[in-house]
Amino acid sequence: MGTDTLRSDAAGGADPAAERRREQRGWYFYDWACSVYSTSVLTVFLGPYLTSVAESAADADGYVHPLGIPVRAGSFFAYSVSLSVIVAVLVMPLVGAAADRSGRKKPLLAAAAYTGAAATTAMFFLDGDRYLLGGLLLVVANAAQSVAMMLYNSYLPQIAPPEERDAVSSRGWAFGYAAGSLVLIVNLVLYTGHDSFGLSESAAVRICLASAGLWWGAFALIPLRRLRDRRAVALEAALPGFRQLAATVRDMRRRPLTLAFLLAYLVYNDGIQTVISQASVYGSEELGLGQSTLIVAVLLVQVLAVAGALALGRLARRYGAKRTILGSLIAWTVTLAAGYFLPAGAPAWFFVLAAGIGLVLGGSQALSRSLFSHLVPPGKEAEYFSAYELSDRGMSWLGPLLFGLTYQLTGSYRDAIISLVAFFVIGFVLLARVPVRRAIGDAGNPVPERI
């Protein structure tokens, strides 16, 4: 949706610019609300805890049997995450198209957000051998988060004119990382000092999990009060079933430059997601670092990602989003190369690596989101951002597969971590070849002075 639409949407208010800033501030708070789930639940606590619950329910051979299928207890968390991605991939195109055609994104955002928050809060009851409950809640929460993020991202071209989007997107990511850092500090105090609070380790973890859901639900009220629904642009009847996904893909094929950007994003973002998910494995297995060191490293990434998102946002205003993203991909490559040479048993150097990841993590993701917003045709924001989220979530198995295969063939986590450089090099080449100014024009949007 272009600047003219933004202007007409705000025409009824006394001060359109002030109204737009108010809506932007509300939009930031959804990142503040839901990022705690990603940090405290997915990154830190749920994986080890759900694995321990599954192991307590396992048979003598170490297997659990969901729906009668033998599954090694140590793989149950990974399989649950994979299933949640499949559910999200099936649901997002349908919800995105419904949001664009009805113009009522806010009720759908509320439904997805509170479904995810409720499932996360219910993780308080995940104890004993209730691994099936844990798997179900993880699938619901993770899929709901993906759907909600797709709807949340699709507001960006509606609440910010082209010249503001890099800064607005970067502030949103910064809000998210700030919230993740704040709650993770509180969680770690509770977890490490659970005895002094009269809690068992299990109870402390369950409180940390549930608190993320309560935080998510409480702060989601702010964007839901401030964001506004827009009049629908696309008035056709919604397509039934999964024909909508095929229709979205056909529509995108008429905009090959938008597809070219999505392909580049798919490649380099897969590398980013794999580094995030496998860095702790590299630290514990290859470098011999303890759990406390890894948790502090995660916190360091969160804190520095705030500064990194804001700093890269400022660089984008001066040099353009595309050039800044390309620079961040070079920084990712250098960081991974440095990680290959890290000495074992040296936490200080691992913290340096975490700092490097944090400084480029938020900015590269925030600017990718804002750049893509320029490539979305007016009236198809949610539908196209569902494809963007599919690129983010639905293809995130390629990097872990390469990481695992490299380790299997070489027996070295150092070789596995350096193999991920391929994603950043290929992504750099693909993005460099995209003529973004022409792509923005082809999408029917005004071309910013600097992009």
Side-chain angles (χ1 to χ4, degrees), residues 60-80:
D61 296 321
Y63 285 85
V64 291
H65 299 269
L67 303 178
I69 302 170
V71 173
R72 195 175 291 277
S75 300
F76 183 73
F77 173 73
Y79 289 148
S80 298

PDB file of all heavy atoms in Angstrom, residues 60-80:
ATOM      1  N   ALA A  60      12.268 -48.881  27.780  1.00  0.00           N
ATOM      2  CA  ALA A  60      13.626 -49.304  28.135  1.00  0.00           C
ATOM      3  C   ALA A  60      14.631 -49.042  27.023  1.00  0.00           C
ATOM      4  O   ALA A  60      15.842 -48.910  27.284  1.00  0.00           O
ATOM      5  CB  ALA A  60      13.630 -50.793  28.496  1.00  0.00           C
ATOM      6  N   ASP A  61      14.163 -48.946  25.798  1.00  0.00           N
ATOM      7  CA  ASP A  61      15.053 -48.687  24.661  1.00  0.00           C
ATOM      8  C   ASP A  61      15.199 -47.203  24.348  1.00  0.00           C
ATOM      9  O   ASP A  61      15.858 -46.827  23.375  1.00  0.00           O
ATOM     10  CB  ASP A  61      14.542 -49.415  23.419  1.00  0.00           C
ATOM     11  CG  ASP A  61      14.556 -50.925  23.593  1.00  0.00           C
ATOM     12  OD1 ASP A  61      15.520 -51.426  24.207  1.00  0.00           O
ATOM     13  OD2 ASP A  61      13.606 -51.591  23.125  1.00  0.00           O
ATOM     14  N   GLY A  62      14.561 -46.340  25.163  1.00  0.00           N
ATOM     15  CA  GLY A  62      14.687 -44.901  24.959  1.00  0.00           C
ATOM     16  C   GLY A  62      13.714 -44.318  23.951  1.00  0.00           C
ATOM     17  O   GLY A  62      13.943 -43.229  23.437  1.00  0.00           O
ATOM     18  N   TYR A  63      12.623 -45.033  23.685  1.00  0.00           N
ATOM     19  CA  TYR A  63      11.639 -44.573  22.706  1.00  0.00           C
ATOM     20  C   TYR A  63      10.329 -44.194  23.376  1.00  0.00           C
ATOM     21  O   TYR A  63       9.904 -44.827  24.354  1.00  0.00           O
ATOM     22  CB  TYR A  63      11.356 -45.664  21.660  1.00  0.00           C
ATOM     23  CG  TYR A  63      12.446 -45.841  20.647  1.00  0.00           C
ATOM     24  CD1 TYR A  63      13.548 -46.658  20.913  1.00  0.00           C
ATOM     25  CD2 TYR A  63      12.387 -45.213  19.403  1.00  0.00           C
ATOM     26  CE1 TYR A  63      14.559 -46.825  19.980  1.00  0.00           C
ATOM     27  CE2 TYR A  63      13.394 -45.383  18.463  1.00  0.00           C
ATOM     28  CZ  TYR A  63      14.484 -46.192  18.756  1.00  0.00           C
ATOM     29  OH  TYR A  63      15.483 -46.355  17.830  1.00  0.00           O
ATOM     30  N   VAL A  64       9.679 -43.149  22.834  1.00  0.00           N
ATOM     31  CA  VAL A  64       8.291 -42.870  23.150  1.00  0.00           C
ATOM     32  C   VAL A  64       7.459 -43.247  21.931  1.00  0.00           C
ATOM     33  O   VAL A  64       8.003 -43.451  20.840  1.00  0.00           O
ATOM     34  CB  VAL A  64       8.076 -41.387  23.514  1.00  0.00           C
ATOM     35  CG1 VAL A  64       8.730 -41.067  24.845  1.00  0.00           C
ATOM     36  CG2 VAL A  64       8.619 -40.458  22.424  1.00  0.00           C
ATOM     37  N   HIS A  65       6.132 -43.333  22.108  1.00  0.00           N
ATOM     38  CA  HIS A  65       5.299 -43.869  21.020  1.00  0.00           C
ATOM     39  C   HIS A  65       4.069 -42.997  20.783  1.00  0.00           C
ATOM     40  O   HIS A  65       2.936 -43.421  21.020  1.00  0.00           O
ATOM     41  CB  HIS A  65       4.889 -45.306  21.348  1.00  0.00           C
ATOM     42  CG  HIS A  65       6.050 -46.238  21.487  1.00  0.00           C
ATOM     43  ND1 HIS A  65       6.571 -46.958  20.435  1.00  0.00           N
ATOM     44  CD2 HIS A  65       6.819 -46.540  22.564  1.00  0.00           C
ATOM     45  CE1 HIS A  65       7.604 -47.672  20.856  1.00  0.00           C
ATOM     46  NE2 HIS A  65       7.774 -47.446  22.148  1.00  0.00           N
ATOM     47  N   PRO A  66       4.248 -41.761  20.310  1.00  0.00           N
ATOM     48  CA  PRO A  66       3.086 -40.933  19.980  1.00  0.00           C
ATOM     49  C   PRO A  66       2.322 -41.530  18.806  1.00  0.00           C
ATOM     50  O   PRO A  66       2.915 -41.865  17.767  1.00  0.00           O
ATOM     51  CB  PRO A  66       3.717 -39.583  19.605  1.00  0.00           C
ATOM     52  CG  PRO A  66       5.119 -39.906  19.185  1.00  0.00           C
ATOM     53  CD  PRO A  66       5.521 -41.084  20.024  1.00  0.00           C
ATOM     54  N   LEU A  67       1.013 -41.728  19.002  1.00  0.00           N
ATOM     55  CA  LEU A  67       0.151 -42.331  17.976  1.00  0.00           C
ATOM     56  C   LEU A  67       0.680 -43.685  17.515  1.00  0.00           C
ATOM     57  O   LEU A  67       0.480 -44.095  16.370  1.00  0.00           O
ATOM     58  CB  LEU A  67       0.006 -41.385  16.780  1.00  0.00           C
ATOM     59  CG  LEU A  67      -0.532 -39.982  17.085  1.00  0.00           C
ATOM     60  CD1 LEU A  67      -0.586 -39.131  15.824  1.00  0.00           C
ATOM     61  CD2 LEU A  67      -1.891 -40.054  17.748  1.00  0.00           C
ATOM     62  N   GLY A  68       1.387 -44.376  18.423  1.00  0.00           N
ATOM     63  CA  GLY A  68       1.914 -45.690  18.104  1.00  0.00           C
ATOM     64  C   GLY A  68       3.175 -45.691  17.266  1.00  0.00           C
ATOM     65  O   GLY A  68       3.657 -46.758  16.872  1.00  0.00           O
ATOM     66  N   ILE A  69       3.727 -44.499  16.998  1.00  0.00           N
ATOM     67  CA  ILE A  69       4.937 -44.396  16.176  1.00  0.00           C
ATOM     68  C   ILE A  69       6.159 -44.357  17.092  1.00  0.00           C
ATOM     69  O   ILE A  69       6.243 -43.510  17.984  1.00  0.00           O
ATOM     70  CB  ILE A  69       4.899 -43.117  15.314  1.00  0.00           C
ATOM     71  CG1 ILE A  69       3.649 -43.117  14.431  1.00  0.00           C
ATOM     72  CG2 ILE A  69       6.164 -42.999  14.459  1.00  0.00           C
ATOM     73  CD1 ILE A  69       3.409 -41.786  13.729  1.00  0.00           C
ATOM     74  N   PRO A  70       7.114 -45.265  16.915  1.00  0.00           N
ATOM     75  CA  PRO A  70       8.311 -45.224  17.772  1.00  0.00           C
ATOM     76  C   PRO A  70       9.196 -44.029  17.438  1.00  0.00           C
ATOM     77  O   PRO A  70       9.610 -43.846  16.295  1.00  0.00           O
ATOM     78  CB  PRO A  70       9.014 -46.555  17.451  1.00  0.00           C
ATOM     79  CG  PRO A  70       8.551 -46.933  16.088  1.00  0.00           C
ATOM     80  CD  PRO A  70       7.155 -46.392  15.956  1.00  0.00           C
ATOM     81  N   VAL A  71       9.465 -43.204  18.445  1.00  0.00           N
ATOM     82  CA  VAL A  71      10.278 -41.999  18.270  1.00  0.00           C
ATOM     83  C   VAL A  71      11.302 -41.960  19.389  1.00  0.00           C
ATOM     84  O   VAL A  71      10.961 -42.103  20.566  1.00  0.00           O
ATOM     85  CB  VAL A  71       9.406 -40.724  18.329  1.00  0.00           C
ATOM     86  CG1 VAL A  71      10.277 -39.472  18.325  1.00  0.00           C
ATOM     87  CG2 VAL A  71       8.409 -40.693  17.170  1.00  0.00           C
ATOM     88  N   ARG A  72      12.563 -41.789  19.033  1.00  0.00           N
ATOM     89  CA  ARG A  72      13.583 -41.666  20.067  1.00  0.00           C
ATOM     90  C   ARG A  72      13.302 -40.396  20.884  1.00  0.00           C
ATOM     91  O   ARG A  72      13.052 -39.329  20.330  1.00  0.00           O
ATOM     92  CB  ARG A  72      14.968 -41.599  19.433  1.00  0.00           C
ATOM     93  CG  ARG A  72      16.104 -41.824  20.438  1.00  0.00           C
ATOM     94  CD  ARG A  72      17.450 -41.856  19.739  1.00  0.00           C
ATOM     95  NE  ARG A  72      17.608 -43.039  18.911  1.00  0.00           N
ATOM     96  CZ  ARG A  72      17.998 -44.236  19.362  1.00  0.00           C
ATOM     97  NH1 ARG A  72      18.237 -44.397  20.662  1.00  0.00           N
ATOM     98  NH2 ARG A  72      18.139 -45.254  18.535  1.00  0.00           N
ATOM     99  N   ALA A  73      13.353 -40.533  22.200  1.00  0.00           N
ATOM    100  CA  ALA A  73      12.964 -39.423  23.082  1.00  0.00           C
ATOM    101  C   ALA A  73      13.763 -38.159  22.793  1.00  0.00           C
ATOM    102  O   ALA A  73      13.236 -37.052  22.845  1.00  0.00           O
ATOM    103  CB  ALA A  73      13.134 -39.841  24.542  1.00  0.00           C
ATOM    104  N   GLY A  74      15.041 -38.321  22.468  1.00  0.00           N
ATOM    105  CA  GLY A  74      15.882 -37.165  22.199  1.00  0.00           C
ATOM    106  C   GLY A  74      15.518 -36.428  20.924  1.00  0.00           C
ATOM    107  O   GLY A  74      15.952 -35.295  20.710  1.00  0.00           O
ATOM    108  N   SER A  75      14.707 -37.055  20.049  1.00  0.00           N
ATOM    109  CA  SER A  75      14.305 -36.421  18.787  1.00  0.00           C
ATOM    110  C   SER A  75      12.916 -35.807  18.855  1.00  0.00           C
ATOM    111  O   SER A  75      12.484 -35.145  17.908  1.00  0.00           O
ATOM    112  CB  SER A  75      14.328 -37.459  17.651  1.00  0.00           C
ATOM    113  OG  SER A  75      15.618 -38.000  17.479  1.00  0.00           O
ATOM    114  N   PHE A  76      12.204 -36.016  19.961  1.00  0.00           N
ATOM    115  CA  PHE A  76      10.801 -35.608  20.020  1.00  0.00           C
ATOM    116  C   PHE A  76      10.637 -34.106  19.869  1.00  0.00           C
ATOM    117  O   PHE A  76       9.742 -33.631  19.162  1.00  0.00           O
ATOM    118  CB  PHE A  76      10.169 -36.080  21.335  1.00  0.00           C
ATOM    119  CG  PHE A  76       8.720 -35.762  21.447  1.00  0.00           C
ATOM    120  CD1 PHE A  76       7.776 -36.467  20.705  1.00  0.00           C
ATOM    121  CD2 PHE A  76       8.270 -34.743  22.280  1.00  0.00           C
ATOM    122  CE1 PHE A  76       6.422 -36.162  20.786  1.00  0.00           C
ATOM    123  CE2 PHE A  76       6.920 -34.431  22.374  1.00  0.00           C
ATOM    124  CZ  PHE A  76       5.997 -35.156  21.626  1.00  0.00           C
ATOM    125  N   PHE A  77      11.499 -33.321  20.501  1.00  0.00           N
ATOM    126  CA  PHE A  77      11.395 -31.865  20.391  1.00  0.00           C
ATOM    127  C   PHE A  77      11.593 -31.422  18.947  1.00  0.00           C
ATOM    128  O   PHE A  77      10.827 -30.602  18.420  1.00  0.00           O
ATOM    129  CB  PHE A  77      12.414 -31.198  21.310  1.00  0.00           C
ATOM    130  CG  PHE A  77      12.503 -29.704  21.142  1.00  0.00           C
ATOM    131  CD1 PHE A  77      11.495 -28.880  21.612  1.00  0.00           C
ATOM    132  CD2 PHE A  77      13.589 -29.116  20.504  1.00  0.00           C
ATOM    133  CE1 PHE A  77      11.556 -27.499  21.449  1.00  0.00           C
ATOM    134  CE2 PHE A  77      13.663 -27.739  20.344  1.00  0.00           C
ATOM    135  CZ  PHE A  77      12.640 -26.932  20.818  1.00  0.00           C
ATOM    136  N   ALA A  78      12.620 -31.938  18.289  1.00  0.00           N
ATOM    137  CA  ALA A  78      12.898 -31.540  16.902  1.00  0.00           C
ATOM    138  C   ALA A  78      11.732 -31.893  15.983  1.00  0.00           C
ATOM    139  O   ALA A  78      11.340 -31.098  15.117  1.00  0.00           O
ATOM    140  CB  ALA A  78      14.182 -32.208  16.415  1.00  0.00           C
ATOM    141  N   TYR A  79      11.174 -33.094  16.174  1.00  0.00           N
ATOM    142  CA  TYR A  79      10.040 -33.494  15.346  1.00  0.00           C
ATOM    143  C   TYR A  79       8.823 -32.604  15.608  1.00  0.00           C
ATOM    144  O   TYR A  79       8.061 -32.277  14.696  1.00  0.00           O
ATOM    145  CB  TYR A  79       9.678 -34.956  15.605  1.00  0.00           C
ATOM    146  CG  TYR A  79      10.685 -35.940  15.066  1.00  0.00           C
ATOM    147  CD1 TYR A  79      10.905 -37.157  15.706  1.00  0.00           C
ATOM    148  CD2 TYR A  79      11.421 -35.672  13.915  1.00  0.00           C
ATOM    149  CE1 TYR A  79      11.826 -38.074  15.215  1.00  0.00           C
ATOM    150  CE2 TYR A  79      12.342 -36.570  13.417  1.00  0.00           C
ATOM    151  CZ  TYR A  79      12.546 -37.773  14.066  1.00  0.00           C
ATOM    152  OH  TYR A  79      13.459 -38.681  13.585  1.00  0.00           O
ATOM    153  N   SER A  80       8.623 -32.203  16.848  1.00  0.00           N
ATOM    154  CA  SER A  80       7.496 -31.319  17.179  1.00  0.00           C
ATOM    155  C   SER A  80       7.655 -29.966  16.505  1.00  0.00           C
ATOM    156  O   SER A  80       6.683 -29.387  15.991  1.00  0.00           O
ATOM    157  CB  SER A  80       7.381 -31.146  18.700  1.00  0.00           C
ATOM    158  OG  SER A  80       7.130 -32.382  19.338  1.00  0.00           O
TER     159      SER A  80
END
